[in-house]
Amino acid sequence: MGSFRYLDHTADMGFVARGETLNEAFEEAAKALFNFIIDLKRVKPEKELQISVEGDDYESLLFNWLNELLFQAEHHRMFFSQFKIEYLTPRRLKATVWGETMDRKRHQVNNEVKACTYHLLRVEKKGDNYEVQAVCDV
Amino acid sequence: MKPDYLIQESTFKFIIKKSFRAGMRVDGVIYADEELVAQADRDRALEQVINVAFLPGIVRASMAMPDIHWGYGFPIGGVAATEIEKGGVISPGGVGFDISCGVRLIKTTLNAFEIEKHLETLARALASEIPKGVGSRGKIRVKRKEMEELMVKGAKWAVERGFGSQQDLEYIEEKGVMEGANPDLVSPRAFERGEDQPGTLGAGNHFLEVQEVEEVYRAEIADKMGIFKGQVVVMIHSGSRGVGHQICTDFLRVMDMAVRKYGYDLPDRQLACAPVNSPEGNNYYQAMACAVNYALANRQCLGFLVSEVLEKVFGQGAEKLGINLLYDVSHNIAKFEKHEVNGELKQLCVHRKGATRALPPGHPELPAAFKETGQPVIIPGDMGRASYLLVGTKQGKETFYSTCHGAGRLLSRKQAKKSIRGEKLRQELEEKGIRVVAGSTALLAEEAPQAYKDVSKVVEICEGAGLSLKVARLRPLLVVKG
């Protein structure tokens, strides 16, 4: 089972996400990001989107994955709540994500996230699990 | 307790010697008192001052203003200048994602007692007329061709479109237009994100406040600026919105590769940078200038929308209400400026990440109205206590004429939400006569006064250190948050 927790960053938002596989850790990272913006339980996974990003290593891939999600959310005016990584190498990630069109009446937005940063960014294997960490500008 | 590697040079100035860590090219200098410096040590801000001292071409020192706190890459409150001719770098992390986030202060000739009975109407009108919050779209739509013009002309574009007057431009940093912008270097994504965002406030710590001038500290300067006790003013805090976020994200990738190309060894990946005089550095600067112009245009549009609301609510024209821009200045920016370094005038790239330019009296770049007073510096505080109007000083030379930019956060958002209830806070503020319009109660808790350092203390330290002087204290009457 994957999980995530938030770090106590003074001005911005950071999180550590864990998974039994690297795929799961990346999925949890995306959940941590969107859960900070809005209560995930309120976002119906009714619309589906394919995401594909490239990187030079797992860290830059994580950076590009999270920033791609932020861009696509703004572009499609959606919130995302479910994430499935289909393919993951240090250079390429493909995923299917699900979410719902923004509805100002139903969606209580808690925060805006401007972008994911390179600060304290890491992707690591810890024992049997994988752990990823990121700090986002709020 | 201050950490022992910090040397206290004077009451409000602390030094971290460059010998402290291999790789530092200059000293770290923190303008603060013992308490604030200890706070900066508890989060990771001092570490970040040290990291910035690694930047190639950095001159004088890696500096931090008294509102210093943990950021990403640079500390918030960080100031760093690099010498362009000597391979000095430019770093998107030293500007941030919200490129040219800044503040503008609009004057009126209204007295606070005159607006008391209109506050409720004003609150409703501002809430409905000023687009705010996540995913908000403005009424001003700009397509590709016109957007290119906006990115080159900044606030001047807005004025030409009828949003405000020609005179406003005189009172904006760079006269409303940042030179060197090249829209060809801006990605289609950034263009798209900017399409419907001119004249939108955004979310998070961005805000609009109707304030009362509660106290005047320097009557002569205030008078020359057209500021008087009891006066109603409006403060707007916003930036370049999605355009800036996207340009920063795009160029961080470019700079990440440049770090390897130029063989830099940096302690934080977010400090990714390239020489100003390199294709990567040059391209970033030209794209960043587009975002600066977007922010200047955005605040000009917001100012116009606010003026329209005031006119409607009071049933009088802008002239009758004495609506005039006092000043508009950025606090997240990199600029080419000439400063004296070791007795020689040098062309520098000055990064201000959560720091405000504060030009002294007599500076050639000042508009005529501020030649004698120095540049107005607008410092947003928190929604329950105060904001400030300051002015630049000659002694500011040592920080490349920079001072603080706000209160600086004290509690993380997580801590704030845990300890503060949004609804209770709203009541408390209302008891103090402060009306609040906010997107959510969670946001209210995160942005609570208790989550911030005391801005009064921060500006006192700036004054004690000689970086800026207090002109007036502003009390919030009406707060509009994303």
Side-chain angles (χ1 to χ4, degrees):
Chain A
M1 266 288 276
S3 64
F4 61 82
R5 66 179 168 84
Y6 293 106
L7 302 171
D8 234 4
H9 191 289
T10 322
D12 296 304
M13 179 273 280
F15 60 79
V16 176
R18 282 197 188 85
E20 286 173 12
T21 61
L22 193 54
N23 291 27
E24 192 176 45
F26 269 60
E27 288 161 8
E28 288 297 322
K31 274 191 212 163
L33 173 63
F34 279 87
N35 182 62
F36 185 73
I37 298 171
I38 186 168
D39 182 357
L40 291 183
K41 289 192 283 293
R42 290 182 175 260
V43 180
K44 296 178 201 153
E46 58 184 25
K47 272 169 82 175
E48 185 182 307
L49 211 68
Q50 304 299 320
I51 304 272
S52 171
V53 292
E54 290 174 9
D56 308 315
D57 48 34
Y58 280 125
E59 279 82 11
S60 68
L61 204 60
L62 178 63
F63 173 92
N64 290 340
W65 159 239
L66 298 173
N67 281 316
E68 181 70 18
L69 289 172
L70 288 173
F71 172 77
Q72 294 297 346
E74 192 172 306
H75 175 70
H76 293 283
R77 309 192 63 73
M78 283 176 72
F79 295 115
F80 302 126
S81 55
Q82 280 187 21
F83 311 85
K84 176 81 191 142
I85 307 277
E86 316 276 5
Y87 178 82
L88 184 62
T89 67
R91 298 210 164 252
R92 198 170 183 81
L93 175 157
K94 283 185 183 180
T96 308
V97 303
W98 293 265
E100 188 189 354
T101 304
M102 287 180 192
D103 178 350
R104 288 202 149 220
K105 287 195 197 82
R106 277 197 324 105
H107 290 142
Q108 164 88 50
V109 180
N110 295 324
N111 284 100
E112 179 183 49
V113 175
K114 290 175 185 152
C116 167
T117 77
Y118 278 121
H119 181 54
L120 302 180
L121 192 68
R122 65 179 171 88
V123 176
E124 272 178 327
K125 188 160 198 282
K126 283 225 166 152
D128 289 340
N129 291 310
Y130 288 86
E131 198 173 276
V132 306
Q133 175 176 283
V135 171
C136 299
D137 185 5
V138 179
Chain B
M1 271 292 288
K2 77 174 176 65
D4 47 14
Y5 60 88
L6 269 179
I7 299 158
Q8 185 159 16
E9 195 188 86
S10 59
T11 319
F12 300 123
K13 191 173 174 182
F14 296 80
I15 315 280
I16 303 171
K17 285 285 178 199
K18 72 173 177 185
S19 54
F20 174 67
R21 189 168 297 164
M24 285 175 74
R25 294 165 194 263
V26 290
D27 292 346
V29 174
I30 300 106
Y31 295 89
D33 66 1
E34 289 209 19
E35 190 192 338
L36 290 180
V37 96
Q39 272 168 15
D41 183 47
R42 277 198 295 276
D43 63 20
R44 299 189 188 208
L46 293 185
E47 193 65 26
Q48 293 184 319
V49 173
I50 294 168
N51 291 348
V52 169
F54 279 62
L55 288 179
I58 187 170
V59 292
R60 194 170 296 164
S62 160
M63 294 183 259
M65 304 296 114
D67 47 341
I68 176 175
H69 58 272
W70 182 14
Y72 45 87
F74 272 57
I76 312 294
V79 175
T82 62
E83 190 176 340
I84 297 174
E85 248 183 33
K86 299 249 172 83
V89 295
I90 185 165
S91 172
V95 175
F97 287 90
D98 199 354
I99 297 169
S100 188
C101 180
V103 255
R104 88 166 19 204
L105 192 65
I106 301 165
K107 297 181 280 184
T108 76
T109 44
L110 291 165
N111 264 292
F113 65 83
E114 291 176 272
I115 74 157
E116 195 93 347
K117 60 177 186 291
H118 297 285
L119 272 183
E120 212 49 63
T121 330
L122 195 55
R124 255 177 282 136
L126 287 171
S128 76
E129 292 305 310
I130 310 292
K132 61 183 176 59
V134 176
S136 59
R137 292 167 138 169
K139 286 175 211 152
I140 305 163
R141 302 286 162 100
V142 183
K143 289 288 178 206
R144 170 89 200 197
K145 211 72 227 122
E146 193 181 5
M147 184 65 82
E148 288 180 12
E149 202 192 325
L150 182 158
M151 287 178 175
V152 171
K153 286 186 172 172
K156 195 161 173 240
W157 165 86
V159 169
E160 284 172 6
R161 276 277 305 257
F163 306 122
S165 73
Q166 193 67 32
Q167 189 200 310
D168 292 345
L169 299 176
E170 182 74 8
Y171 300 105
I172 304 176
E173 189 179 11
E174 302 288 314
K175 301 211 181 310
V177 188
M178 177 103 166
E179 298 289 335
N182 181 0
D184 292 345
L185 296 163
V186 175
S187 68
R189 285 188 166 194
F191 271 97
E192 187 198 310
R193 291 178 76 167
E195 218 170 77
D196 52 10
Q197 292 182 335
T200 62
L201 197 57
N205 61 1
H206 292 157
F207 67 79
L208 184 161
E209 277 184 16
V210 178
Q211 305 167 332
E212 171 189 6
V213 177
E214 188 178 30
E215 188 69 58
V216 167
Y217 300 99
R218 287 179 168 80
E220 202 183 322
I221 296 178
D223 199 43
K224 285 198 174 108
M225 291 183 176
I227 293 293
F228 58 88
K229 196 172 170 177
Q231 181 181 19
V232 173
V233 294
V234 181
M235 186 179 282
I236 297 172
H237 178 206
S238 186
S240 52
R241 314 282 289 110
V243 171
H245 310 170
Q246 190 64 44
I247 288 174
C248 183
T249 306
D250 293 342
F251 277 91
L252 271 171
R253 289 179 199 148
V254 174
M255 294 299 190
D256 192 43
M257 282 183 274
V259 167
R260 270 169 272 171
K261 178 174 160 189
Y262 297 103
Y264 296 152
D265 188 12
L266 298 171
D268 183 344
R269 203 169 175 177
Q270 182 67 24
L271 289 176
C273 54
V276 175
N277 282 330
S278 71
E280 297 88 350
N282 202 13
N283 288 355
Y284 168 67
Y285 182 80
Q286 294 178 55
M288 180 205 70
C290 291
V292 172
N293 282 329
Y294 192 94
L296 297 177
N298 182 32
R299 288 196 292 273
Q300 180 66 23
C301 292
L302 284 167
F304 174 78
L305 294 174
V306 167
S307 174
E308 276 198 327
V309 168
L310 289 172
E311 288 172 54
K312 211 158 82 188
V313 169
F314 290 94
Q316 285 177 317
E319 211 166 308
K320 199 88 194 242
L321 296 168
I323 298 174
N324 277 302
L325 175 58
L326 176 71
Y327 206 62
D328 182 306
V329 63
S330 302
H331 48 229
N332 284 353
I333 198 164
K335 290 170 79 170
F336 300 155
E337 297 174 355
K338 280 200 169 65
H339 291 277
E340 217 179 278
V341 182
N342 301 326
E344 272 183 80
L345 208 57
K346 300 276 190 195
Q347 178 81 347
L348 305 179
C349 177
V350 184
H351 299 76
R352 295 190 180 90
K353 174 79 191 77
T356 317
R357 189 192 69 171
L359 297 177
H363 195 280
E365 276 181 45
L366 284 171
F370 304 135
K371 275 275 188 296
E372 284 178 45
T373 61
Q375 180 208 306
V377 176
I378 306 152
I379 304 299
D382 62 67
M383 62 170 100
R385 285 175 285 195
S387 290
Y388 280 85
L389 174 64
L390 315 178
V391 73
T393 65
K394 291 218 152 65
Q395 207 192 318
K397 201 174 165 185
E398 65 182 79
T399 55
F400 307 110
Y401 301 121
S402 311
T403 188
C404 66
H405 89 304
R409 283 195 76 93
L410 183 62
L411 299 182
S412 72
R413 290 166 202 276
K414 190 171 140 185
Q415 289 166 333
K417 267 195 288 204
K418 209 183 269 177
S419 58
I420 302 156
R421 296 277 309 278
E423 263 321 309
K424 187 158 170 273
L425 173 65
R426 189 193 295 275
Q427 273 173 20
E428 284 168 9
L429 290 172
E430 278 179 10
E431 279 160 25
K432 286 167 75 177
I434 304 166
R435 281 169 183 73
V436 185
V437 180
S440 78
T441 46
L443 174 70
L444 206 56
E446 285 179 26
E447 293 293 322
Q450 305 92 300
Y452 284 87
K453 294 177 197 171
D454 183 0
V455 70
S456 299
K457 191 172 167 188
V458 169
V459 299
E460 282 297 342
I461 292 170
C462 289
E463 181 151 338
L467 307 180
S468 50
L469 299 174
K470 291 191 295 179
V471 177
R473 188 172 71 234
L474 316 169
R475 183 178 84 90
L477 299 172
L478 170 59
V479 182
V480 180
K481 300 278 297 180

